[in-house]
Structures are given as C-alpha cells and as structure tokens.
Amino acid sequence: MKKNKANRIRRNLILTFLLVLLVPSFTIGFVTYRDAKGTIEDEILRSASLSVDTANEFINDTLQSKLYDLDYFSGKLKSVGIDTELAAQGTTTVQSLKEYLQLHPETVEVFVATEEGGFIKASEGKLAQGYDHKQSGWYQQAMNAAGKPIITAPYTSKAGSLIVITMAKMLPDGRGVVGVDLNLHSIRDLVQVKVGKEGYTFVLDQDGKYLFHPDYEAGADALAEGDWVSKLYEKPAGEISYQHDGMDKRLSYITNEQTGWVIAGTMLVKEVEDSVYGIRNTMILVLLVSLLAASVLITWNVRSIIKPIRQLREATEVISEGDLTYHLKDFKRDEVGELAGHFQQMVDSLREMVHGVKSMTENVSASSEQLSASALQNTSAVEHVTSSIQEVAAGSESQLLAAEEILKRIHQVSRHADDIAGVLVKVAGAMDQTEQLALNGNKTVITAAATMQDMDMAMNDLNGVIQQLSERTEEIGGIAAAITDIAKQTSLLSLNASIEAARAGEQGKGFAVVAAEIRKLAQRSETSAAYITGLITNVLDNVGQTIQVMESAKEKVSDGVDSADLTGRSFSRIMKAIHSVSGQVKTTSDQAKELAEGTTAARIAVEEIREISEQTSSQTQTISAASEEQLASMEEVTASAADLSQLAEELQEMVKRFKI
C-alpha cells in the first residue's frame, strides 16, 4: 500500500509535468495551424476576388469602348443620308463600317438600320430573304431606350461557333439604329484565369447560363447545378460556400452593372488544407522532439524528488515501531534535506517528551488514588445535606399550597363583599327615591282629597240649581197650558165672528177676513203651545234623570273623599316605614364596605405570605438542585479519579513501548 502511494506521487508529478508541457504546446500548435489555414484561405479568396474584379473591369472597358464607338457612329450617321445612299447605291458608309470591322477583330459585325427599311452592314454576307430588322429584338430595344445604348443577352451566331452580344443605340433623329455585334470569345482568355492551383473564374449571364467556364459550353444552364447558383443573384457581390461534384468549394463573385452578368472566382477548400499540410507536419515534429526532451528532464526531476521521500518513509516506519533512537543522514542541502533535519528535531523532542510523560504518569497514578478517596467522603456528606434540603422544600411547597388556597377563599369573600356593598348602595338609592315618591304621593292625595271636597260642595250647589230649574220648567208648562186654552178660545171666537160675518152679508165680508186671520193665528198659537209643552215635558224628564245622576255622583264623590283621606293616612305610614328601612340599609352598606376593606387587607397579607413561601420554596429548590449537582459532580469526580488512575496505568504501558 505504501509503495502504491509512493508510485502515486511519482505518477502525479509525471502527469503534471506532461500537462504543463503538452497543453501549451498543443494549444500554440492548434492556434498557429488555424491562423495559418485562415490566412491562406483569405489570401486565395483575396486572389479570387482580385481576379473577379480584374475580369469585371476588363468587361467594362471592352463594353465601354464599344459604347464610345456607338456614340461616334450615332453622331455621324443620319437615317436620311443612309436611305439616300442606299437609293443611290453609294458606298461611303459601307466603306467606313468595313474599315472599323478590320481595325477591331473582336467585332463580328457593325451595321446601321433605318425606319424606312434601309440596312447597311460591314460584312459581305447577304441577309436572309424576307429579313425585317424592325422585328429584331435589338432594334425594338434601342428604339424604346430613348437614345440610351442597349446590350442584348448573349446568343449564338448564325454560324453556330460564336457567342455574341449586340450593342445598339438609336440615331439622334430617332429614325434609325446603329449597332455592333461583339464576339465574347475574344475576351474569354482575358476573363478566365486560375485561382490558386486548381481554382478558376467563370461568367454567368443574366439568365443563369454559362458564358465562360472551363468545363461547360457557353449557353449551358447553370441553375441545374444546384441552389448555390441562385444565391449568386440575390446580392450584387459576396462570398459563399457550396459543394460541386462532391467537393467543398468557396467562391467570390460580383455582378456587372452594365450587363447583369455574374463574374465569379472559385477554389477548392482542400487546396487550403494541402497548403497548410507542411505547417501541420512541422508542428507535429516539433511537439514530438519537445516531448522526448521533456521526458528526460521529467524523469531526472521525479527521481530527485522521490528518492529522499523514500528515505523519509523508511525512517518513519522505524520510528512508528517505537524506536526513537533512529538518526536521519545522507540528505542533500535542498528543501527535502531541510524537511529531514526538522523531522530529526521532532524525533528528538518526542523522545524527551516521552521520557517526561513516563515520570508524570507515575505521579498522576498516586494522585488519582488520593482524589478518589476524598471524593467518596465528600459524596457521603453531600447526600446527607441533599436529603435535609429536600424535606425543607417539601414543607415549603405544602405551605405555599395552603397560602394559595386561603388567598382563593379571601378573593371570593372580597368579591362577595364588594357585590353586597354595591347592591346595598343601589338599594339605598332606590329607598331614597321611594321615600321621595311616597312624599310626592302623599301631597297628591291631600290635593285630591281637597279637590273631592270641593266637588262635593259643587255637586250640592248644582243639585239646588237643578231643582230650581225643574220648578221653573213646571211653571213654564203651566204658562204653555194657559196659552193653549187662550188659543182654543180665540179660535172659537173667530169661528163665531165668521158666522156673524156670514150673516151680515156684504157688510160683514171684511170682518170675515179678519176673523179668518184671527182663527189662523189662534191655530198657530195652539200649535206652538203644544210644541212648547212637548219640549217642557222632555226637559222635565232630562232634569229628573240629571237629578238621579247627581245623587249617584254625590254619593261617589263622598266615597272618594273618604278613600282619599284613607290613602293619605296610608302614605304617611309608608313614609315612616321607608325612612326607617333607608337608615338600616345605609348602616348595612357602611358595614359591607368595612368588610370589603378588611378582606382586601387580609388578601394583601396572604399574598405577602404566599410570596414569602414561593421565595422559600424556590430557594430550597435551588439549594436542592445545587446539592444534587454537587452530588453528581462528586460522583463524576470519583468516576474521573478512577478513570484517571486507569488511564495513568495505560499510559505507563504505552510509554514502555518506546525505546529512549
């Protein structure tokens, strides 16, 4: 196991040195390889971009020179002159066009066409029968361009061997077009260049067809190669990565502004990897040489560290067996040597300490035996004190319980005394109110008795008045009877007068009228007298009833006077009784208050007794607990003394193991 630990240290050191060496080396190599690869890739792409820009500039220069030529011809030629020359079969314009064609071999044809149907070209070939230049695309585009030059899409010549474009411009008078057919093969060698070792440039027209490509014919459909072709038309310039024929490629492209052609330079990604192949191999070789040299240095360093550690391990094995007489030697003057020196000092100090411990254990053993005997004596005394204190604590608790019970009873008596005092105060107040009410009632009864006497006197007076009224009514009845008799006699006299008037004839008619009126008056008097007689009869009946009621009321008023007198005497007796009870209630209330005050004082005294009992009980409990703790401590001291004695013996046995 120890050998495995030593080997583990050596293995850790070797791994540490290797990591310190290899990680930076591999990191530097990887970063260098990556940067070199990126630099070479950027250089090749920059070369491709430069080739693309050069090709684009050459195409622009070629097209621009032809546009200058078109400007020259459009300014020189007139449609009227062309038509006139054709009619006269002149050759001036044809000769100029032929001279231009001879001076510019990249030009396939130069021509001029008019609105009247005239057409002049530089070449000798004849036009197809029925050819109408006005139906041609280049003519219509030029006429619709309002004086600006146009460039047609590339197309195959009639001979089928050339790819050409037509550049045309409307004449200033707007009645004709001048044009040039440009052979694109003339600029192919200048546009197609190599990019890197295996890369190349190629050109696509605005319809996605190849114009120049080392592997495809002009006019071949490039869009069928994959989606990467359509990406070239999404932006005017840029870089993309794609796969072609199973190989990874990168390309840089630009779009020609005048024609809409895409000019691209492509390269193989593998070409970049091949370029950095030498750098990678050199880096691997350097790492292998560095690893070999480092292995030698690591082995030497590990051996210089492990050897003294093994010597220290052997020394610790000997000392661990108890031999403190061992001495370390043959160590170098380095950090491990200093460690060995300090280790030897530690062994020497340990030897001296063991010698001192051996002497001390003998003294500790003797002292522990004496301590054990003293602890036993103290334990017995503490047990006796603890028993006495527990008895005192039990008595204090009984006294405390009795004081609490007395305090509860006094609390109850105090509450009842307070309740009685409160009730008596309320009763005294009620008795005072009752006494006042009785006094008021007595006064009311006296007033009522006086009133009843006044009513009795008034009833007597009223009875006399009613008697007089009855007498006067009877007298009126007699008068009414007399009036009735008078009316009857008057009626009889008027009847006699009427008879006498009838006897008198004409002289008695006036007297007859008077007699008739007297008879009517007598009848009315008799009727009124009868009515008065009826009224007097009713009045006499009512007066009789009134006299009866007055007699009954007089008797009741007399009874009321007697009752009021009796009630007054009763109220006087009630007032005396209430006054006596009120005095007794006040006396009882004062006594109840004194009882409540006495119970309060008793409660305070009992509470003081309870507090003293609680303090006594608490103190006795504290003393009891302290005694128990003291007893437990003495028992622990006894046990500790026994343990100390045993430990001293064991320590003596352990010290005997060391060789000093």
Side-chain angles (χ1 to χ4, degrees):
M1 183 67 183
K2 294 179 180 178
K3 185 176 181 180
N4 291 334
K5 290 183 178 179
N7 292 333
R8 184 185 302 171
I9 294 175
R10 180 174 59 187
R11 183 170 60 252
N12 291 339
L13 289 173
I14 293 173
L15 290 176
T16 301
F17 284 127
L18 289 176
L19 288 175
V20 170
L21 174 66
L22 295 179
V23 171
S25 299
F26 278 110
T27 302
I28 294 172
F30 173 75
V31 173
T32 302
Y33 174 77
R34 184 190 62 186
D35 293 343
K37 182 179 179 181
T39 301
I40 293 173
E41 184 177 1
D42 292 340
E43 288 295 332
I44 295 176
L45 282 176
R46 190 178 298 109
S47 174
S49 178
L50 181 61
S51 299
V52 168
D53 292 338
T54 302
N56 184 51
E57 291 177 0
F58 180 77
I59 291 173
N60 285 332
D61 293 340
T62 302
L63 296 178
Q64 191 63 42
S65 65
K66 298 305 174 186
L67 293 176
Y68 289 151
D69 295 340
L70 287 177
D71 290 339
Y72 169 77
F73 283 118
S74 65
K76 181 179 179 182
L77 300 176
K78 302 291 188 294
S79 61
V80 177
I82 297 300
D83 292 334
T84 302
E85 184 177 344
L86 287 173
Q89 295 183 351
T91 60
T92 303
T93 302
V94 173
Q95 190 64 34
S96 298
L97 297 179
K98 286 182 178 181
E99 291 176 357
Y100 176 82
L101 187 62
Q102 291 176 357
L103 293 174
H104 298 84
E106 74 279 4
T107 303
V108 177
E109 185 67 87
V110 56
F111 55 87
V112 59
T114 66
E115 190 178 18
E116 299 298 329
F119 187 85
I120 298 176
K121 62 186 183 70
S123 64
E124 298 293 339
K126 295 183 179 181
L127 297 174
Q129 188 175 1
Y131 175 75
D132 186 3
H133 61 268
K134 291 187 289 184
Q135 301 298 323
S136 300
W138 55 266
Y139 184 85
Q140 295 177 359
Q141 291 179 23
M143 293 298 290
N144 293 330
K148 294 181 180 180
I150 61 97
I151 300 175
T152 65
Y155 59 92
T156 305
S157 65
K158 293 181 179 180
S161 59
L162 300 177
I163 299 297
V164 298
I165 59 172
T166 298
M167 303 175 64
K169 184 179 181 181
M170 185 176 65
L171 296 176
D173 58 5
R175 300 179 61 82
V177 173
V178 61
V180 175
D181 290 339
L182 178 63
N183 179 13
L184 296 182
H185 286 280
S186 62
I187 62 175
R188 178 173 185 170
D189 295 337
L190 297 175
V191 171
Q192 282 189 327
V193 295
K194 292 185 69 65
V195 178
K197 294 181 179 180
E198 300 181 14
Y200 51 85
T201 59
F202 62 90
V203 180
L204 300 173
D205 66 7
Q206 59 267 42
D207 296 327
K209 295 181 180 180
Y210 286 116
L211 290 179
F212 309 126
H213 194 284
D215 299 329
Y216 294 96
E217 294 292 335
D221 187 8
L223 295 174
E225 297 296 323
D227 296 337
W228 62 271
V229 178
S230 60
K231 294 180 180 179
L232 302 178
Y233 293 91
E234 294 177 356
K235 296 180 181 180
E239 296 178 358
I240 65 170
S241 299
Y242 69 102
Q243 278 192 341
H244 184 67
D245 293 337
M247 293 184 292
D248 294 330
K249 291 187 175 184
R250 293 285 304 276
L251 68 77
S252 175
Y253 69 94
I254 190 172
T255 302
N256 186 269
E257 295 180 356
Q258 296 186 20
T259 61
W261 300 346
V262 175
I263 305 167
T266 183
M267 69 171 201
L268 291 173
V269 176
K270 181 176 177 296
E271 185 176 341
V272 178
E273 296 177 353
D274 293 340
S275 299
V276 297
Y277 181 76
I279 298 174
R280 182 182 60 191
N281 292 339
T282 302
M283 180 191 68
I284 293 173
L285 179 61
V286 171
L287 288 176
L288 291 176
V289 173
S290 300
L291 182 61
L292 181 61
S295 299
V296 176
L297 293 175
I298 290 171
T299 302
W300 180 79
N301 284 325
V302 170
R303 288 177 61 85
S304 64
I305 295 172
I306 295 299
K307 183 178 179 181
I309 291 177
R310 287 178 177 174
Q311 293 177 353
L312 280 175
R313 186 189 65 187
E314 293 174 357
T316 54
E317 289 178 354
V318 173
I319 294 171
S320 65
E321 297 295 331
D323 187 2
L324 299 180
T325 60
Y326 186 84
H327 290 278
L328 299 174
K329 56 183 178 179
D330 297 333
F331 281 92
K332 297 180 180 180
R333 293 181 176 274
D334 54 9
E335 288 79 0
V336 179
E338 292 180 0
L339 176 62
H342 292 305
F343 185 80
Q344 183 62 50
Q345 293 177 3
M346 182 188 69
V347 172
D348 295 338
S349 299
L350 181 61
R351 183 171 60 251
E352 294 176 359
M353 182 183 67
V354 170
H355 183 73
V357 169
K358 184 177 181 181
S359 301
M360 292 174 62
T361 51
E362 295 175 355
N363 296 329
V364 169
S365 178
S367 299
S368 62
E369 292 178 356
Q370 295 177 359
L371 179 62
S372 179
S374 299
L376 289 175
Q377 294 177 359
N378 290 333
T379 300
S380 178
V382 170
E383 287 178 351
H384 180 70
V385 172
T386 301
S387 177
S388 300
I389 290 173
Q390 288 178 350
E391 292 177 358
V392 174
S396 298
E397 290 179 356
S398 300
Q399 183 180 359
L400 178 60
L401 293 175
E404 290 180 350
E405 184 64 26
I406 293 171
L407 184 60
K408 290 180 181 178
R409 300 297 183 185
I410 290 176
H411 274 298
Q412 293 177 357
V413 172
S414 178
R415 286 197 301 271
H416 292 324
D418 291 337
D419 294 340
I420 292 170
V423 171
L424 289 175
V425 170
K426 294 180 180 178
V427 171
M431 293 302 295
D432 290 337
Q433 294 178 0
T434 304
E435 184 177 3
Q436 184 64 36
L437 292 174
L439 180 60
N440 295 334
N442 190 24
K443 291 180 180 180
T444 303
V445 169
I446 293 172
T447 303
T451 303
M452 293 299 290
Q453 289 177 358
D454 293 339
M455 288 177 63
D456 187 27
M457 294 174 64
M459 292 297 291
N460 290 330
D461 294 338
L462 181 60
N463 189 22
V465 173
I466 291 173
Q467 290 291 339
Q468 291 177 3
L469 178 62
S470 177
E471 292 175 357
R472 296 294 182 272
T473 302
E474 289 178 354
E475 292 177 358
I476 293 171
I479 294 171
I483 292 172
T484 300
D485 292 340
I486 293 170
K488 288 180 179 180
Q489 292 177 3
T490 303
S491 178
L492 183 59
L493 289 175
S494 65
L495 179 59
N496 292 330
S498 297
I499 294 171
E500 291 297 331
R503 288 178 180 176
E506 291 295 331
Q507 290 82 9
K509 287 183 179 181
F511 185 74
V513 173
V514 173
E517 291 297 327
I518 291 171
R519 187 173 61 252
K520 291 180 181 179
L521 181 61
Q523 290 176 352
R524 290 175 61 188
S525 297
E526 185 179 2
T527 302
S528 298
Y531 178 71
I532 291 170
T533 301
L535 290 175
I536 290 171
T537 302
N538 291 331
V539 170
L540 288 174
D541 292 337
N542 291 331
V543 168
Q545 293 176 359
T546 302
I547 291 172
Q548 292 177 359
V549 172
M550 288 298 296
E551 289 294 336
S552 177
K554 184 178 180 181
E555 292 176 358
K556 291 181 179 180
V557 169
S558 179
D559 294 337
V561 171
D562 295 337
S563 298
D565 183 58
L566 180 60
T567 302
R569 289 194 297 271
S570 298
F571 267 108
S572 297
R573 289 193 296 272
I574 290 170
M575 287 175 60
K576 292 178 181 180
I578 289 173
H579 185 72
S580 177
V581 172
S582 177
Q584 294 176 359
V585 168
K586 290 181 179 179
T587 302
T588 305
S589 177
D590 294 337
Q591 293 175 354
K593 290 181 180 179
E594 292 177 358
L595 177 60
E597 293 175 355
T599 54
T600 301
R603 178 175 56 80
I604 294 172
V606 173
E607 286 180 350
E608 292 178 354
I609 294 172
R610 187 190 64 176
E611 291 178 357
I612 294 171
S613 298
E614 287 179 350
Q615 293 177 0
T616 302
S617 177
S618 175
Q619 291 174 358
T620 54
Q621 289 177 357
T622 303
I623 295 171
S624 178
S627 299
E628 291 178 354
E629 291 178 358
Q630 183 68 24
L631 179 60
S633 299
M634 294 307 299
E635 291 176 351
E636 291 178 357
V637 169
T638 303
S640 299
D643 293 338
L644 182 61
S645 178
Q646 183 179 357
L647 291 174
E649 293 177 357
E650 293 177 355
L651 186 59
Q652 288 177 351
E653 294 295 329
M654 293 174 63
V655 170
K656 290 179 181 179
R657 294 174 53 194
F658 290 97
K659 182 179 179 182
I660 56 177

